[in-house]
Amino acid sequence: MTDTPGWASPGSAPSSEGREPGASGPAEPADRPGPTEPAPQPGTDAQGPGSKWSKEQPPAGQWSAPTGAPSPNQAPPPPPPGPGWGGRQPGGPGPGGYGVPGGGYGGPPPGYGGYGTPGGYPSWGGGWGGPPPAAKPGVIPLRPLGVGEILDGAVSTMRTYWRTVLGIALAVAVVTDTCLVLVQGFFVNDALARTSLDSRTATLDDAYRSLRVSMIGTGIVTVISAVAVIVATALLTTITSRAVLGKPVSTGEAWREARPQIPKLAGLLILLGLITIGVIVVGALPGFLVLLSGGSDAGGSALFALGILGAVVVAVWLAIRYYLAAPALMLERQRVTKAMSRSAKLVRGSWWRVFGIQLLAWLIANIVSAIVTIPFALIGAAVSGDGMGDFLGTGGGHVGWAFLIIRGIGSLIGTTLTLPISAGVTVLLYIDQRIRREALDLELARAAGVQGYGTGAPGPVPGS
């Protein structure tokens, strides 16, 4: 069914409540006459010799004998059920539903009324009933998910395991935002202070020096941020996978489980980044060569723009195609190339759905981040000496320390809140695609210890 080594330790199978295998009904009482024993006669003991029937018998006409024609005053018995359909026999569930093992579909489980419907589903109100609610041992129901359920599952994971999740996200935010503030304050500001970028006096060397400094500073922050995000992604992936099963996990346990895959995850993300850069370079190269050779400026610029546009389209297509490679690598213990092929297999036929959910999660995360960071940036601009020049970036590249620190606090809060949502959506979307394609919900139910799961499981959510 799946090509993975499993999810977790499976749960135990449903017990038979002390009954023998193959039993279809309640145990017969010890004193009940067997099929070859004669029924007790009046004046004899039904339990044993020496007892008499009670003299206070019901009046004639109010009960019928076990055999013979029914009384005229008695209501006709209900028609027998058709083949393959039967009332639920007391006892454990049988194959294909509740009731006699191998005897077709039975009645509903305890607590439901009516006769059974196909697949063992109960009937509510005397008609054809819908499927029973899916098992939900953790933050999501074990069935194909809708868009809202994926987003809700990511938020529920953060809310349920907030100490672990927010602790990891806060640590990542502190590292990345502190590095950004320090690099901007000590490195970039100092270099730009020695460079004149005035439009009337700036030279080509000044512009080149400023660009080089900015690229170096951006590179330092990018490398540090990438390392922190890789570690956070590995830990949050592990935590979210446990949250689906309803099993809590501490930061130490998540680290021990995710640590062997972190080097592979780093290699995967670096490879995907190189692929994206390569696609952009290949798309821009023809137009760049035309401009470099001294050809038509208009034709070269148009070719360059079209090449960039086409490269961006291809890069987005590849990014969605390999969007699920990271959770596949972490949860299936796959190699880098195998994780990429697994992602391509899971996304095939669902590209637009995966793209839409990722875009929606990205928009939500950025809106939340903007709501948090913009007020801090405005406060920092009001407190700093340059006023709105820092906020609008019109201060010649030099930014005051007050603005950097206050804006960094807002960015720290925004990253702490949005990073778990982004990571959670990725993991839950991966699980949803595997449920739809590989029936992963059965394996998850066993791993969560859900007994009797898998018979008549609900189908996809309409509109999902």
mmCIF file with all atom_site columns, all heavy atoms in Angstrom, residues 136 138-141 145-161 240 243-244 420-421 424-425 428:
data_model
loop_
_atom_site.group_PDB
_atom_site.id
_atom_site.type_symbol
_atom_site.label_atom_id
_atom_site.label_alt_id
_atom_site.label_comp_id
_atom_site.label_asym_id
_atom_site.label_entity_id
_atom_site.label_seq_id
_atom_site.pdbx_PDB_ins_code
_atom_site.Cartn_x
_atom_site.Cartn_y
_atom_site.Cartn_z
_atom_site.occupancy
_atom_site.B_iso_or_equiv
_atom_site.pdbx_formal_charge
_atom_site.auth_seq_id
_atom_site.auth_comp_id
_atom_site.auth_asym_id
_atom_site.auth_atom_id
_atom_site.pdbx_PDB_model_num
ATOM 1   N N   . LYS A 1 136 ? -10.497 10.757 14.967 1.00 0.00 ? 136 LYS A N   1
ATOM 2   C CA  . LYS A 1 136 ? -9.663  11.951 15.108 1.00 0.00 ? 136 LYS A CA  1
ATOM 3   C C   . LYS A 1 136 ? -8.826  11.825 16.379 1.00 0.00 ? 136 LYS A C   1
ATOM 4   O O   . LYS A 1 136 ? -9.110  12.453 17.399 1.00 0.00 ? 136 LYS A O   1
ATOM 5   C CB  . LYS A 1 136 ? -10.530 13.213 15.149 1.00 0.00 ? 136 LYS A CB  1
ATOM 6   C CG  . LYS A 1 136 ? -9.724  14.514 15.079 1.00 0.00 ? 136 LYS A CG  1
ATOM 7   C CD  . LYS A 1 136 ? -10.639 15.722 15.060 1.00 0.00 ? 136 LYS A CD  1
ATOM 8   C CE  . LYS A 1 136 ? -9.822  17.014 15.003 1.00 0.00 ? 136 LYS A CE  1
ATOM 9   N NZ  . LYS A 1 136 ? -10.701 18.221 15.014 1.00 0.00 ? 136 LYS A NZ  1
ATOM 10  N N   . GLY A 1 138 ? -5.863  12.955 16.821 1.00 0.00 ? 138 GLY A N   1
ATOM 11  C CA  . GLY A 1 138 ? -5.005  14.125 17.014 1.00 0.00 ? 138 GLY A CA  1
ATOM 12  C C   . GLY A 1 138 ? -5.653  15.389 16.497 1.00 0.00 ? 138 GLY A C   1
ATOM 13  O O   . GLY A 1 138 ? -6.838  15.637 16.717 1.00 0.00 ? 138 GLY A O   1
ATOM 14  N N   . VAL A 1 139 ? -4.901  16.181 15.743 1.00 0.00 ? 139 VAL A N   1
ATOM 15  C CA  . VAL A 1 139 ? -5.359  17.509 15.326 1.00 0.00 ? 139 VAL A CA  1
ATOM 16  C C   . VAL A 1 139 ? -6.169  17.473 14.045 1.00 0.00 ? 139 VAL A C   1
ATOM 17  O O   . VAL A 1 139 ? -6.770  18.490 13.676 1.00 0.00 ? 139 VAL A O   1
ATOM 18  C CB  . VAL A 1 139 ? -4.154  18.452 15.151 1.00 0.00 ? 139 VAL A CB  1
ATOM 19  C CG1 . VAL A 1 139 ? -3.464  18.685 16.487 1.00 0.00 ? 139 VAL A CG1 1
ATOM 20  C CG2 . VAL A 1 139 ? -3.158  17.909 14.129 1.00 0.00 ? 139 VAL A CG2 1
ATOM 21  N N   . ILE A 1 140 ? -6.202  16.346 13.330 1.00 0.00 ? 140 ILE A N   1
ATOM 22  C CA  . ILE A 1 140 ? -6.982  16.252 12.096 1.00 0.00 ? 140 ILE A CA  1
ATOM 23  C C   . ILE A 1 140 ? -7.763  14.947 12.099 1.00 0.00 ? 140 ILE A C   1
ATOM 24  O O   . ILE A 1 140 ? -7.360  13.972 12.726 1.00 0.00 ? 140 ILE A O   1
ATOM 25  C CB  . ILE A 1 140 ? -6.079  16.300 10.841 1.00 0.00 ? 140 ILE A CB  1
ATOM 26  C CG1 . ILE A 1 140 ? -5.062  15.153 10.855 1.00 0.00 ? 140 ILE A CG1 1
ATOM 27  C CG2 . ILE A 1 140 ? -5.404  17.639 10.695 1.00 0.00 ? 140 ILE A CG2 1
ATOM 28  C CD1 . ILE A 1 140 ? -4.305  14.977 9.558  1.00 0.00 ? 140 ILE A CD1 1
ATOM 29  N N   . PRO A 1 141 ? -8.911  14.900 11.405 1.00 0.00 ? 141 PRO A N   1
ATOM 30  C CA  . PRO A 1 141 ? -9.597  13.619 11.224 1.00 0.00 ? 141 PRO A CA  1
ATOM 31  C C   . PRO A 1 141 ? -8.839  12.764 10.218 1.00 0.00 ? 141 PRO A C   1
ATOM 32  O O   . PRO A 1 141 ? -8.209  13.276 9.288  1.00 0.00 ? 141 PRO A O   1
ATOM 33  C CB  . PRO A 1 141 ? -10.977 14.033 10.689 1.00 0.00 ? 141 PRO A CB  1
ATOM 34  C CG  . PRO A 1 141 ? -10.750 15.366 10.055 1.00 0.00 ? 141 PRO A CG  1
ATOM 35  C CD  . PRO A 1 141 ? -9.662  16.029 10.840 1.00 0.00 ? 141 PRO A CD  1
ATOM 36  N N   . LEU A 1 145 ? -8.615  15.599 3.635  1.00 0.00 ? 145 LEU A N   1
ATOM 37  C CA  . LEU A 1 145 ? -8.875  16.854 4.323  1.00 0.00 ? 145 LEU A CA  1
ATOM 38  C C   . LEU A 1 145 ? -9.306  17.942 3.353  1.00 0.00 ? 145 LEU A C   1
ATOM 39  O O   . LEU A 1 145 ? -8.890  17.966 2.189  1.00 0.00 ? 145 LEU A O   1
ATOM 40  C CB  . LEU A 1 145 ? -7.616  17.314 5.068  1.00 0.00 ? 145 LEU A CB  1
ATOM 41  C CG  . LEU A 1 145 ? -7.007  16.330 6.068  1.00 0.00 ? 145 LEU A CG  1
ATOM 42  C CD1 . LEU A 1 145 ? -5.696  16.874 6.607  1.00 0.00 ? 145 LEU A CD1 1
ATOM 43  C CD2 . LEU A 1 145 ? -7.978  16.051 7.198  1.00 0.00 ? 145 LEU A CD2 1
ATOM 44  N N   . GLY A 1 146 ? -10.130 18.848 3.854  1.00 0.00 ? 146 GLY A N   1
ATOM 45  C CA  . GLY A 1 146 ? -10.430 20.068 3.137  1.00 0.00 ? 146 GLY A CA  1
ATOM 46  C C   . GLY A 1 146 ? -9.384  21.131 3.421  1.00 0.00 ? 146 GLY A C   1
ATOM 47  O O   . GLY A 1 146 ? -8.536  20.996 4.303  1.00 0.00 ? 146 GLY A O   1
ATOM 48  N N   . VAL A 1 147 ? -9.445  22.231 2.673  1.00 0.00 ? 147 VAL A N   1
ATOM 49  C CA  . VAL A 1 147 ? -8.463  23.306 2.841  1.00 0.00 ? 147 VAL A CA  1
ATOM 50  C C   . VAL A 1 147 ? -8.547  23.882 4.252  1.00 0.00 ? 147 VAL A C   1
ATOM 51  O O   . VAL A 1 147 ? -7.525  24.101 4.921  1.00 0.00 ? 147 VAL A O   1
ATOM 52  C CB  . VAL A 1 147 ? -8.698  24.402 1.780  1.00 0.00 ? 147 VAL A CB  1
ATOM 53  C CG1 . VAL A 1 147 ? -7.718  25.552 1.983  1.00 0.00 ? 147 VAL A CG1 1
ATOM 54  C CG2 . VAL A 1 147 ? -8.558  23.834 0.383  1.00 0.00 ? 147 VAL A CG2 1
ATOM 55  N N   . GLY A 1 148 ? -9.759  24.127 4.717  1.00 0.00 ? 148 GLY A N   1
ATOM 56  C CA  . GLY A 1 148 ? -9.915  24.685 6.060  1.00 0.00 ? 148 GLY A CA  1
ATOM 57  C C   . GLY A 1 148 ? -9.400  23.759 7.144  1.00 0.00 ? 148 GLY A C   1
ATOM 58  O O   . GLY A 1 148 ? -8.852  24.216 8.150  1.00 0.00 ? 148 GLY A O   1
ATOM 59  N N   . GLU A 1 149 ? -9.552  22.440 6.938  1.00 0.00 ? 149 GLU A N   1
ATOM 60  C CA  . GLU A 1 149 ? -9.067  21.492 7.940  1.00 0.00 ? 149 GLU A CA  1
ATOM 61  C C   . GLU A 1 149 ? -7.540  21.458 7.990  1.00 0.00 ? 149 GLU A C   1
ATOM 62  O O   . GLU A 1 149 ? -6.949  21.246 9.049  1.00 0.00 ? 149 GLU A O   1
ATOM 63  C CB  . GLU A 1 149 ? -9.622  20.104 7.641  1.00 0.00 ? 149 GLU A CB  1
ATOM 64  C CG  . GLU A 1 149 ? -11.118 19.992 7.893  1.00 0.00 ? 149 GLU A CG  1
ATOM 65  C CD  . GLU A 1 149 ? -11.686 18.669 7.441  1.00 0.00 ? 149 GLU A CD  1
ATOM 66  O OE1 . GLU A 1 149 ? -11.235 18.160 6.400  1.00 0.00 ? 149 GLU A OE1 1
ATOM 67  O OE2 . GLU A 1 149 ? -12.584 18.137 8.121  1.00 0.00 ? 149 GLU A OE2 1
ATOM 68  N N   . ILE A 1 150 ? -6.889  21.660 6.839  1.00 0.00 ? 150 ILE A N   1
ATOM 69  C CA  . ILE A 1 150 ? -5.430  21.712 6.839  1.00 0.00 ? 150 ILE A CA  1
ATOM 70  C C   . ILE A 1 150 ? -4.943  22.939 7.601  1.00 0.00 ? 150 ILE A C   1
ATOM 71  O O   . ILE A 1 150 ? -4.026  22.853 8.446  1.00 0.00 ? 150 ILE A O   1
ATOM 72  C CB  . ILE A 1 150 ? -4.904  21.713 5.393  1.00 0.00 ? 150 ILE A CB  1
ATOM 73  C CG1 . ILE A 1 150 ? -5.199  20.364 4.731  1.00 0.00 ? 150 ILE A CG1 1
ATOM 74  C CG2 . ILE A 1 150 ? -3.410  22.011 5.347  1.00 0.00 ? 150 ILE A CG2 1
ATOM 75  C CD1 . ILE A 1 150 ? -4.795  20.295 3.270  1.00 0.00 ? 150 ILE A CD1 1
ATOM 76  N N   . LEU A 1 151 ? -5.544  24.092 7.340  1.00 0.00 ? 151 LEU A N   1
ATOM 77  C CA  . LEU A 1 151 ? -5.153  25.311 8.055  1.00 0.00 ? 151 LEU A CA  1
ATOM 78  C C   . LEU A 1 151 ? -5.484  25.192 9.541  1.00 0.00 ? 151 LEU A C   1
ATOM 79  O O   . LEU A 1 151 ? -4.680  25.577 10.405 1.00 0.00 ? 151 LEU A O   1
ATOM 80  C CB  . LEU A 1 151 ? -5.863  26.519 7.445  1.00 0.00 ? 151 LEU A CB  1
ATOM 81  C CG  . LEU A 1 151 ? -5.515  26.835 5.980  1.00 0.00 ? 151 LEU A CG  1
ATOM 82  C CD1 . LEU A 1 151 ? -6.398  27.960 5.458  1.00 0.00 ? 151 LEU A CD1 1
ATOM 83  C CD2 . LEU A 1 151 ? -4.048  27.219 5.855  1.00 0.00 ? 151 LEU A CD2 1
ATOM 84  N N   . ASP A 1 152 ? -6.670  24.645 9.845  1.00 0.00 ? 152 ASP A N   1
ATOM 85  C CA  . ASP A 1 152 ? -7.056  24.486 11.243 1.00 0.00 ? 152 ASP A CA  1
ATOM 86  C C   . ASP A 1 152 ? -6.134  23.500 11.964 1.00 0.00 ? 152 ASP A C   1
ATOM 87  O O   . ASP A 1 152 ? -5.807  23.692 13.131 1.00 0.00 ? 152 ASP A O   1
ATOM 88  C CB  . ASP A 1 152 ? -8.504  24.002 11.330 1.00 0.00 ? 152 ASP A CB  1
ATOM 89  C CG  . ASP A 1 152 ? -8.964  23.808 12.757 1.00 0.00 ? 152 ASP A CG  1
ATOM 90  O OD1 . ASP A 1 152 ? -9.128  24.811 13.475 1.00 0.00 ? 152 ASP A OD1 1
ATOM 91  O OD2 . ASP A 1 152 ? -9.135  22.641 13.179 1.00 0.00 ? 152 ASP A OD2 1
ATOM 92  N N   . GLY A 1 153 ? -5.706  22.440 11.261 1.00 0.00 ? 153 GLY A N   1
ATOM 93  C CA  . GLY A 1 153 ? -4.789  21.496 11.878 1.00 0.00 ? 153 GLY A CA  1
ATOM 94  C C   . GLY A 1 153 ? -3.454  22.120 12.217 1.00 0.00 ? 153 GLY A C   1
ATOM 95  O O   . GLY A 1 153 ? -2.861  21.826 13.268 1.00 0.00 ? 153 GLY A O   1
ATOM 96  N N   . ALA A 1 154 ? -2.950  23.017 11.338 1.00 0.00 ? 154 ALA A N   1
ATOM 97  C CA  . ALA A 1 154 ? -1.687  23.697 11.627 1.00 0.00 ? 154 ALA A CA  1
ATOM 98  C C   . ALA A 1 154 ? -1.820  24.609 12.844 1.00 0.00 ? 154 ALA A C   1
ATOM 99  O O   . ALA A 1 154 ? -0.936  24.642 13.715 1.00 0.00 ? 154 ALA A O   1
ATOM 100 C CB  . ALA A 1 154 ? -1.242  24.494 10.402 1.00 0.00 ? 154 ALA A CB  1
ATOM 101 N N   . VAL A 1 155 ? -2.933  25.341 12.918 1.00 0.00 ? 155 VAL A N   1
ATOM 102 C CA  . VAL A 1 155 ? -3.146  26.222 14.068 1.00 0.00 ? 155 VAL A CA  1
ATOM 103 C C   . VAL A 1 155 ? -3.379  25.405 15.340 1.00 0.00 ? 155 VAL A C   1
ATOM 104 O O   . VAL A 1 155 ? -2.883  25.756 16.418 1.00 0.00 ? 155 VAL A O   1
ATOM 105 C CB  . VAL A 1 155 ? -4.335  27.166 13.797 1.00 0.00 ? 155 VAL A CB  1
ATOM 106 C CG1 . VAL A 1 155 ? -4.640  28.018 15.026 1.00 0.00 ? 155 VAL A CG1 1
ATOM 107 C CG2 . VAL A 1 155 ? -4.031  28.074 12.607 1.00 0.00 ? 155 VAL A CG2 1
ATOM 108 N N   . SER A 1 156 ? -4.117  24.291 15.222 1.00 0.00 ? 156 SER A N   1
ATOM 109 C CA  . SER A 1 156 ? -4.373  23.447 16.395 1.00 0.00 ? 156 SER A CA  1
ATOM 110 C C   . SER A 1 156 ? -3.084  22.830 16.932 1.00 0.00 ? 156 SER A C   1
ATOM 111 O O   . SER A 1 156 ? -2.924  22.678 18.148 1.00 0.00 ? 156 SER A O   1
ATOM 112 C CB  . SER A 1 156 ? -5.365  22.339 16.029 1.00 0.00 ? 156 SER A CB  1
ATOM 113 O OG  . SER A 1 156 ? -6.618  22.877 15.656 1.00 0.00 ? 156 SER A OG  1
ATOM 114 N N   . THR A 1 157 ? -2.171  22.481 16.040 1.00 0.00 ? 157 THR A N   1
ATOM 115 C CA  . THR A 1 157 ? -0.883  21.947 16.493 1.00 0.00 ? 157 THR A CA  1
ATOM 116 C C   . THR A 1 157 ? -0.131  22.991 17.311 1.00 0.00 ? 157 THR A C   1
ATOM 117 O O   . THR A 1 157 ? 0.425   22.679 18.380 1.00 0.00 ? 157 THR A O   1
ATOM 118 C CB  . THR A 1 157 ? -0.034  21.524 15.292 1.00 0.00 ? 157 THR A CB  1
ATOM 119 O OG1 . THR A 1 157 ? -0.746  20.519 14.546 1.00 0.00 ? 157 THR A OG1 1
ATOM 120 C CG2 . THR A 1 157 ? 1.303   20.958 15.740 1.00 0.00 ? 157 THR A CG2 1
ATOM 121 N N   . MET A 1 158 ? -0.118  24.213 16.828 1.00 0.00 ? 158 MET A N   1
ATOM 122 C CA  . MET A 1 158 ? 0.563   25.276 17.558 1.00 0.00 ? 158 MET A CA  1
ATOM 123 C C   . MET A 1 158 ? -0.135  25.571 18.887 1.00 0.00 ? 158 MET A C   1
ATOM 124 O O   . MET A 1 158 ? 0.525   25.832 19.895 1.00 0.00 ? 158 MET A O   1
ATOM 125 C CB  . MET A 1 158 ? 0.623   26.552 16.703 1.00 0.00 ? 158 MET A CB  1
ATOM 126 C CG  . MET A 1 158 ? 1.371   27.704 17.345 1.00 0.00 ? 158 MET A CG  1
ATOM 127 S SD  . MET A 1 158 ? 1.543   29.134 16.244 1.00 0.00 ? 158 MET A SD  1
ATOM 128 C CE  . MET A 1 158 ? -0.173  29.581 15.988 1.00 0.00 ? 158 MET A CE  1
ATOM 129 N N   . ARG A 1 159 ? -1.467  25.486 18.901 1.00 0.00 ? 159 ARG A N   1
ATOM 130 C CA  . ARG A 1 159 ? -2.198  25.777 20.129 1.00 0.00 ? 159 ARG A CA  1
ATOM 131 C C   . ARG A 1 159 ? -2.085  24.637 21.136 1.00 0.00 ? 159 ARG A C   1
ATOM 132 O O   . ARG A 1 159 ? -1.973  24.872 22.343 1.00 0.00 ? 159 ARG A O   1
ATOM 133 C CB  . ARG A 1 159 ? -3.669  26.038 19.799 1.00 0.00 ? 159 ARG A CB  1
ATOM 134 C CG  . ARG A 1 159 ? -4.494  26.483 20.989 1.00 0.00 ? 159 ARG A CG  1
ATOM 135 C CD  . ARG A 1 159 ? -5.898  26.858 20.589 1.00 0.00 ? 159 ARG A CD  1
ATOM 136 N NE  . ARG A 1 159 ? -6.631  25.734 20.011 1.00 0.00 ? 159 ARG A NE  1
ATOM 137 C CZ  . ARG A 1 159 ? -7.013  25.659 18.757 1.00 0.00 ? 159 ARG A CZ  1
ATOM 138 N NH1 . ARG A 1 159 ? -6.710  26.645 17.918 1.00 0.00 ? 159 ARG A NH1 1
ATOM 139 N NH2 . ARG A 1 159 ? -7.680  24.607 18.298 1.00 0.00 ? 159 ARG A NH2 1
ATOM 140 N N   . THR A 1 160 ? -2.095  23.403 20.666 1.00 0.00 ? 160 THR A N   1
ATOM 141 C CA  . THR A 1 160 ? -2.059  22.254 21.570 1.00 0.00 ? 160 THR A CA  1
ATOM 142 C C   . THR A 1 160 ? -0.670  22.046 22.165 1.00 0.00 ? 160 THR A C   1
ATOM 143 O O   . THR A 1 160 ? -0.521  21.768 23.360 1.00 0.00 ? 160 THR A O   1
ATOM 144 C CB  . THR A 1 160 ? -2.507  20.987 20.831 1.00 0.00 ? 160 THR A CB  1
ATOM 145 O OG1 . THR A 1 160 ? -3.805  21.217 20.254 1.00 0.00 ? 160 THR A OG1 1
ATOM 146 C CG2 . THR A 1 160 ? -2.576  19.802 21.773 1.00 0.00 ? 160 THR A CG2 1
ATOM 147 N N   . TYR A 1 161 ? 0.350   22.185 21.333 1.00 0.00 ? 161 TYR A N   1
ATOM 148 C CA  . TYR A 1 161 ? 1.738   21.974 21.781 1.00 0.00 ? 161 TYR A CA  1
ATOM 149 C C   . TYR A 1 161 ? 2.499   23.293 21.767 1.00 0.00 ? 161 TYR A C   1
ATOM 150 O O   . TYR A 1 161 ? 3.614   23.377 21.262 1.00 0.00 ? 161 TYR A O   1
ATOM 151 C CB  . TYR A 1 161 ? 2.413   20.943 20.862 1.00 0.00 ? 161 TYR A CB  1
ATOM 152 C CG  . TYR A 1 161 ? 1.641   19.664 20.721 1.00 0.00 ? 161 TYR A CG  1
ATOM 153 C CD1 . TYR A 1 161 ? 0.838   19.424 19.610 1.00 0.00 ? 161 TYR A CD1 1
ATOM 154 C CD2 . TYR A 1 161 ? 1.697   18.673 21.696 1.00 0.00 ? 161 TYR A CD2 1
ATOM 155 C CE1 . TYR A 1 161 ? 0.116   18.247 19.481 1.00 0.00 ? 161 TYR A CE1 1
ATOM 156 C CE2 . TYR A 1 161 ? 0.988   17.498 21.583 1.00 0.00 ? 161 TYR A CE2 1
ATOM 157 C CZ  . TYR A 1 161 ? 0.195   17.292 20.470 1.00 0.00 ? 161 TYR A CZ  1
ATOM 158 O OH  . TYR A 1 161 ? -0.516  16.123 20.360 1.00 0.00 ? 161 TYR A OH  1
ATOM 159 N N   . THR A 1 240 ? 4.598   17.952 14.242 1.00 0.00 ? 240 THR A N   1
ATOM 160 C CA  . THR A 1 240 ? 3.293   17.905 13.581 1.00 0.00 ? 240 THR A CA  1
ATOM 161 C C   . THR A 1 240 ? 2.878   16.472 13.271 1.00 0.00 ? 240 THR A C   1
ATOM 162 O O   . THR A 1 240 ? 1.701   16.105 13.397 1.00 0.00 ? 240 THR A O   1
ATOM 163 C CB  . THR A 1 240 ? 3.332   18.736 12.289 1.00 0.00 ? 240 THR A CB  1
ATOM 164 O OG1 . THR A 1 240 ? 3.772   20.070 12.583 1.00 0.00 ? 240 THR A OG1 1
ATOM 165 C CG2 . THR A 1 240 ? 1.960   18.795 11.643 1.00 0.00 ? 240 THR A CG2 1
ATOM 166 N N   . ALA A 1 243 ? 1.551   15.133 16.350 1.00 0.00 ? 243 ALA A N   1
ATOM 167 C CA  . ALA A 1 243 ? 0.269   15.758 16.697 1.00 0.00 ? 243 ALA A CA  1
ATOM 168 C C   . ALA A 1 243 ? -0.881  15.116 15.942 1.00 0.00 ? 243 ALA A C   1
ATOM 169 O O   . ALA A 1 243 ? -2.014  15.061 16.440 1.00 0.00 ? 243 ALA A O   1
ATOM 170 C CB  . ALA A 1 243 ? 0.322   17.258 16.403 1.00 0.00 ? 243 ALA A CB  1
ATOM 171 N N   . VAL A 1 244 ? -0.639  14.620 14.726 1.00 0.00 ? 244 VAL A N   1
ATOM 172 C CA  . VAL A 1 244 ? -1.679  13.931 13.963 1.00 0.00 ? 244 VAL A CA  1
ATOM 173 C C   . VAL A 1 244 ? -2.127  12.669 14.692 1.00 0.00 ? 244 VAL A C   1
ATOM 174 O O   . VAL A 1 244 ? -3.306  12.297 14.647 1.00 0.00 ? 244 VAL A O   1
ATOM 175 C CB  . VAL A 1 244 ? -1.151  13.598 12.558 1.00 0.00 ? 244 VAL A CB  1
ATOM 176 C CG1 . VAL A 1 244 ? -2.100  12.672 11.816 1.00 0.00 ? 244 VAL A CG1 1
ATOM 177 C CG2 . VAL A 1 244 ? -0.948  14.879 11.763 1.00 0.00 ? 244 VAL A CG2 1
ATOM 178 N N   . PRO A 1 420 ? 5.487   28.278 12.550 1.00 0.00 ? 420 PRO A N   1
ATOM 179 C CA  . PRO A 1 420 ? 4.791   27.003 12.799 1.00 0.00 ? 420 PRO A CA  1
ATOM 180 C C   . PRO A 1 420 ? 3.616   26.761 11.862 1.00 0.00 ? 420 PRO A C   1
ATOM 181 O O   . PRO A 1 420 ? 3.347   25.607 11.489 1.00 0.00 ? 420 PRO A O   1
ATOM 182 C CB  . PRO A 1 420 ? 4.319   27.131 14.252 1.00 0.00 ? 420 PRO A CB  1
ATOM 183 C CG  . PRO A 1 420 ? 5.210   28.163 14.860 1.00 0.00 ? 420 PRO A CG  1
ATOM 184 C CD  . PRO A 1 420 ? 5.507   29.121 13.761 1.00 0.00 ? 420 PRO A CD  1
ATOM 185 N N   . ILE A 1 421 ? 2.918   27.824 11.451 1.00 0.00 ? 421 ILE A N   1
ATOM 186 C CA  . ILE A 1 421 ? 1.781   27.646 10.544 1.00 0.00 ? 421 ILE A CA  1
ATOM 187 C C   . ILE A 1 421 ? 2.267   27.174 9.179  1.00 0.00 ? 421 ILE A C   1
ATOM 188 O O   . ILE A 1 421 ? 1.715   26.235 8.585  1.00 0.00 ? 421 ILE A O   1
ATOM 189 C CB  . ILE A 1 421 ? 0.979   28.957 10.432 1.00 0.00 ? 421 ILE A CB  1
ATOM 190 C CG1 . ILE A 1 421 ? 0.362   29.318 11.789 1.00 0.00 ? 421 ILE A CG1 1
ATOM 191 C CG2 . ILE A 1 421 ? -0.097  28.836 9.368  1.00 0.00 ? 421 ILE A CG2 1
ATOM 192 C CD1 . ILE A 1 421 ? -0.387  30.634 11.788 1.00 0.00 ? 421 ILE A CD1 1
ATOM 193 N N   . GLY A 1 424 ? 3.487   23.590 9.494  1.00 0.00 ? 424 GLY A N   1
ATOM 194 C CA  . GLY A 1 424 ? 2.366   22.684 9.726  1.00 0.00 ? 424 GLY A CA  1
ATOM 195 C C   . GLY A 1 424 ? 1.541   22.435 8.481  1.00 0.00 ? 424 GLY A C   1
ATOM 196 O O   . GLY A 1 424 ? 1.119   21.300 8.217  1.00 0.00 ? 424 GLY A O   1
ATOM 197 N N   . VAL A 1 425 ? 1.303   23.479 7.683  1.00 0.00 ? 425 VAL A N   1
ATOM 198 C CA  . VAL A 1 425 ? 0.536   23.310 6.444  1.00 0.00 ? 425 VAL A CA  1
ATOM 199 C C   . VAL A 1 425 ? 1.272   22.371 5.490  1.00 0.00 ? 425 VAL A C   1
ATOM 200 O O   . VAL A 1 425 ? 0.662   21.517 4.839  1.00 0.00 ? 425 VAL A O   1
ATOM 201 C CB  . VAL A 1 425 ? 0.278   24.684 5.791  1.00 0.00 ? 425 VAL A CB  1
ATOM 202 C CG1 . VAL A 1 425 ? -0.234  24.516 4.368  1.00 0.00 ? 425 VAL A CG1 1
ATOM 203 C CG2 . VAL A 1 425 ? -0.731  25.476 6.609  1.00 0.00 ? 425 VAL A CG2 1
ATOM 204 N N   . LEU A 1 428 ? 0.882   18.721 6.855  1.00 0.00 ? 428 LEU A N   1
ATOM 205 C CA  . LEU A 1 428 ? -0.491  18.225 6.751  1.00 0.00 ? 428 LEU A CA  1
ATOM 206 C C   . LEU A 1 428 ? -0.912  18.053 5.298  1.00 0.00 ? 428 LEU A C   1
ATOM 207 O O   . LEU A 1 428 ? -1.702  17.154 4.980  1.00 0.00 ? 428 LEU A O   1
ATOM 208 C CB  . LEU A 1 428 ? -1.443  19.178 7.479  1.00 0.00 ? 428 LEU A CB  1
ATOM 209 C CG  . LEU A 1 428 ? -1.239  19.269 8.993  1.00 0.00 ? 428 LEU A CG  1
ATOM 210 C CD1 . LEU A 1 428 ? -2.220  20.263 9.604  1.00 0.00 ? 428 LEU A CD1 1
ATOM 211 C CD2 . LEU A 1 428 ? -1.404  17.898 9.644  1.00 0.00 ? 428 LEU A CD2 1
#
